[in-house]
Amino acid sequence: MQRRSFLAATAGALVAPRLASAANAQITVLANEPIAAINPLVHGHFVEHLGGVVYDGIWVGENSKIANIGGLRKSLVDALKKIQAPVFRWPGGCFADSYQWKDGIGPRAQRPKRTNFWEGSSLLRKLEDSPARYDPNTFGTNEFMRFCRETGGKPYFAVNVRSSTPKEFYEWVEYCNAPSGRTTWSNMRGEAPYNVEFWGIGNESWGCGGNYTPEEYSVEYRKFTAWAPGYGVPLKYLPSGPNGGDLNWTRGFFEAMLRKDRNSINNVWGWALHYYCGTTGKSAVDYTDAEFYDLLARAQVMEDLINRHWTIMGQYDREHRIKFAIDEWGTWHREGTQVGPDHLFGQQATMRDALVAGLTLDIFHRHADKVSMGCIAQLINCLQSLFLAHEDQFVLTANYHVFDLYRAHQNGTAVRAVFGAPLVEKAPRLAGSASVKDKVLTLTGVNTHLTEPLAAAIEVAGAAVKSARLEVLSSPDSHHHNTFAQPNRLVPRPAQATASGSSIKAELPPISVWKITADLA
Ligand code: AHR
């Protein structure tokens, strides 16, 4: 009988079936082989007017009994400050290409109520009324900017291309960035200029953003961006990138742009690739061992996508000035575990999701020379969320703790690291990333095995290690997740690591996301 089937067969009889003996793993960190600085924006977030993300999630209202900062859920703001959330993409998603930004400004009581893009979903159709179905526009540009200011994240706006015009876009830039007291729009803002830099031109323009061909979209992109006034702010544009492995979209867009004018890609800051690894199994919390590994294998595909699109981008942008902004990524499970009645796409986050988060962020760090921004989808009450909230209840998910563990990488220099461990099913057994900042090495990674720990021998080539600390987010059962009733089931805990010479030894538990922090001499 194989070890895994033995464990499955005896699972009822044993409590937390852990194996004492650990397989050996060798990790070599090449501290003198830098890849590039890790842009903090790769730890970014996505906020769409979808289900319970904005209303119930972020916005509770100024008159709410729930602790709030000018209507923003205080517990959320505090938690985001702690992890140094770097950027928020807003207001969509598919919603963005039907959003009229002017509906969301001026006195709140006078703002129009509009049908939300997601109104037709079966979950929302069960409800007569809901802000997720009919958007009251209470949360608009000023409220979003306050959210950014309070949390410390940068704003990244997604512009409506499908059902709006370049003129409307220019006016939005004017509203946000024109000097106070100079134009009607800047007066209406009523605050100091927001100086918004990041502007995504449409969303998924190959699909809900207009069903364009890449050639057609390149025309729209130029119309929107070529002559837009910036008010002294260097505007950073992000064209709508491909759906996963659609290489034709990347090739088609860049080719069409260069055919028109070889300087036309000069204003592209980031190429907005979207990739959801999706789901396996019956639901977010109900899947088999094989389905567990299968999902992790799908998450790992991100690395391949980056490499394949990057090769094509290099044919048009030989210096590789343009990097990726992977502004939607994550798991997407079947409906049924949402915590509020209108939380469309709301899902629980188990240790399986935490492993996907760890795997993905480590890929971004290993490709720090290629990836400049990443936004997990979505912040709260939605797909792979860091938070779940309903009315006065609020909980940090396992995904949050991964972002918390990994934030030490922000602004570090990613260095090469080699991870060697036995294989497990189709998924990587051990994967991770390393960075150095101010003589501190941050090494993060995952042990995806369902039952076996790894005895890791870590060799830091090119530096002596003075001390090392290990923190681990793990659980004996990958299905475990935090709930309102049990909010601290999954939290990172300190564990043993020893340093000597240029080596570190640490035991990495099964089903774990871990971080080693080492002081280098
Ligand atoms: O994140 C949910 C949806 O997924 C977004 O609105 C869309 O851009 C993507 O297809």
Side-chain angles (χ1 to χ4, degrees):
M1 186 184 263
Q2 298 244 309
R3 179 177 279 173
R4 264 171 19 86
S5 27
F6 166 77
L7 284 169
T10 55
L14 298 174
V15 178
R18 283 274 178 92
L19 294 183
S21 65
N24 290 328
Q26 181 72 45
I27 302 174
T28 308
V29 177
L30 303 158
N32 292 329
E33 291 198 24
I35 301 169
I38 295 177
N39 195 322
L41 302 178
V42 301
H43 293 187
H45 305 278
F46 173 33
V47 169
E48 178 165 6
H49 286 238
L50 191 171
V53 178
V54 171
Y55 304 108
D56 205 15
I58 297 176
W59 183 259
V60 295
E62 279 164 326
N63 301 323
S64 169
K65 288 196 190 113
I66 303 164
N68 69 85
I69 305 171
L72 306 167
R73 187 183 286 274
K74 184 173 181 311
S75 45
L76 173 68
V77 170
D78 292 345
L80 284 167
K81 269 199 277 204
K82 180 173 179 242
I83 58 167
Q84 292 156 337
V87 67
F88 300 98
R89 175 174 182 247
W90 174 83
C94 293
F95 174 86
D97 276 290
S98 59
Y99 182 59
Q100 306 300 327
W101 70 269
K102 290 174 192 167
D103 290 345
I105 60 168
R108 285 196 204 114
Q110 287 162 32
R111 295 185 194 170
K113 201 168 172 180
R114 305 281 188 213
T115 305
N116 184 293
F117 172 87
W118 298 100
E119 181 274 341
S121 69
S122 54
L123 187 84
L124 297 180
R125 287 207 152 225
K126 288 182 202 146
L127 306 167
E128 214 165 281
D129 199 6
S130 146
R133 191 166 177 194
Y134 303 109
D135 194 317
N137 279 300
T138 319
F139 190 89
T141 300
N142 288 40
E143 289 75 19
F144 172 67
M145 287 307 306
R146 176 142 27 93
F147 178 65
C148 291
R149 268 201 310 272
E150 292 292 342
T151 56
K154 287 181 193 283
Y156 164 21
F157 285 73
V159 173
N160 178 350
V161 168
R162 191 193 71 227
S163 63
S164 183
T165 61
K167 177 172 174 282
E168 302 271 339
F169 164 54
Y170 300 163
E171 288 169 335
W172 205 6
V173 178
E174 183 175 329
Y175 180 85
C176 291
N177 293 356
S180 303
R182 289 286 171 265
T183 79
T184 304
W185 288 119
S186 70
N187 285 343
M188 284 186 72
R189 183 182 65 226
E191 299 184 7
Y194 295 148
N195 297 331
V196 177
E197 292 172 286
F198 296 106
W199 297 86
I201 306 304
N203 167 74
E204 300 193 346
S205 302
W206 37 263
C208 65
N211 289 95
Y212 295 108
T213 65
E215 293 76 20
E216 289 165 348
Y217 172 66
S218 73
V219 176
E220 295 301 315
Y221 176 82
R222 286 196 302 274
K223 268 203 313 218
F224 273 72
T225 62
W227 303 101
Y231 305 94
V233 179
L235 301 186
K236 297 187 164 89
Y237 292 121
L238 298 92
S240 170
N243 180 17
D246 182 2
L247 302 179
N248 287 334
W249 182 266
T250 296
R251 195 176 292 114
F253 173 79
F254 282 100
E255 203 156 293
M257 291 289 282
L258 293 194
R259 202 179 309 128
K260 168 73 179 75
D261 168 2
R262 72 191 163 86
N263 294 320
S264 64
I265 58 170
N266 289 357
N267 71 6
V268 175
W269 182 84
W271 185 229
L273 166 70
H274 286 185
Y275 175 61
Y276 288 95
C277 62
T279 193
T280 54
K282 291 196 189 123
S283 81
V285 296
D286 186 359
Y287 50 85
T288 64
D289 288 1
E291 288 162 345
F292 165 87
Y293 288 120
D294 196 19
L295 186 63
L296 300 183
R298 290 183 197 199
Q300 182 56 33
V301 168
M302 178 69 88
E303 184 146 43
D304 191 42
L305 295 178
I306 290 172
N307 285 325
R308 283 158 63 206
H309 286 287
W310 186 251
T311 303
I312 293 175
M313 288 155 70
Q315 291 163 11
Y316 304 98
D317 172 29
R318 299 221 174 258
E319 314 273 285
H320 272 306
R321 191 191 54 76
I322 302 166
K323 317 281 188 220
F324 288 103
I326 302 172
D327 58 14
E328 286 188 34
W329 66 268
T331 56
W332 193 321
H333 302 304
R334 295 196 173 83
E335 201 176 289
T337 58
Q338 64 274 14
V339 298
D342 59 359
H343 292 189
L344 180 64
F345 305 151
Q347 63 187 36
Q348 265 297 353
T350 65
M351 266 311 293
R352 175 171 76 146
D353 296 275
L355 289 166
V356 169
L359 273 170
T360 306
L361 293 181
D362 282 321
I363 292 172
F364 292 170
H365 303 154
R366 291 202 295 277
H367 295 275
D369 53 335
K370 307 181 187 70
V371 185
S372 287
M373 188 193 279
C375 303
I376 188 169
Q378 299 196 12
L379 183 72
I380 180 165
N381 289 340
C382 198
L383 300 170
Q384 191 167 354
S385 294
L386 277 73
F387 311 91
L388 296 175
H390 182 44
E391 298 172 347
D392 60 347
Q393 307 188 88
F394 177 78
V395 68
L396 308 176
T397 71
N399 298 317
Y400 175 86
H401 294 302
V402 177
F403 276 71
D404 192 12
L405 281 175
Y406 278 42
R407 80 190 140 99
H409 281 296
Q410 293 185 10
N411 289 314
T413 299
V415 295
R416 296 203 188 279
V418 183
F419 295 81
L423 292 174
V424 57
E425 305 273 334
K426 301 180 200 156
R429 163 78 187 261
L430 172 72
S433 65
S435 69
V436 178
K437 186 169 55 180
D438 303 329
K439 292 207 161 184
V440 175
L441 166 71
T442 301
L443 181 64
T444 53
V446 296
N447 173 7
T448 64
H449 202 286
L450 279 167
T451 53
E452 287 180 15
L454 283 171
I458 300 146
E459 190 57 33
V460 184
V465 182
K466 288 201 285 191
S467 62
R469 298 172 295 287
L470 172 66
E471 284 165 86
V472 166
L473 177 70
S474 71
S475 136
D477 183 338
S478 81
H479 300 84
H480 283 176
H481 50 276
N482 291 340
T483 62
F484 297 141
Q486 264 191 303
N488 295 321
R489 200 168 196 193
L490 303 174
V491 286
R493 299 186 198 282
Q496 186 72 26
T498 52
S500 131
S502 59
S503 308
I504 305 168
K505 290 206 181 322
E507 181 163 300
L508 311 173
I511 321 173
S512 68
V513 183
W514 49 266
K515 172 171 78 171
I516 292 172
T517 310
D519 296 313
L520 304 179

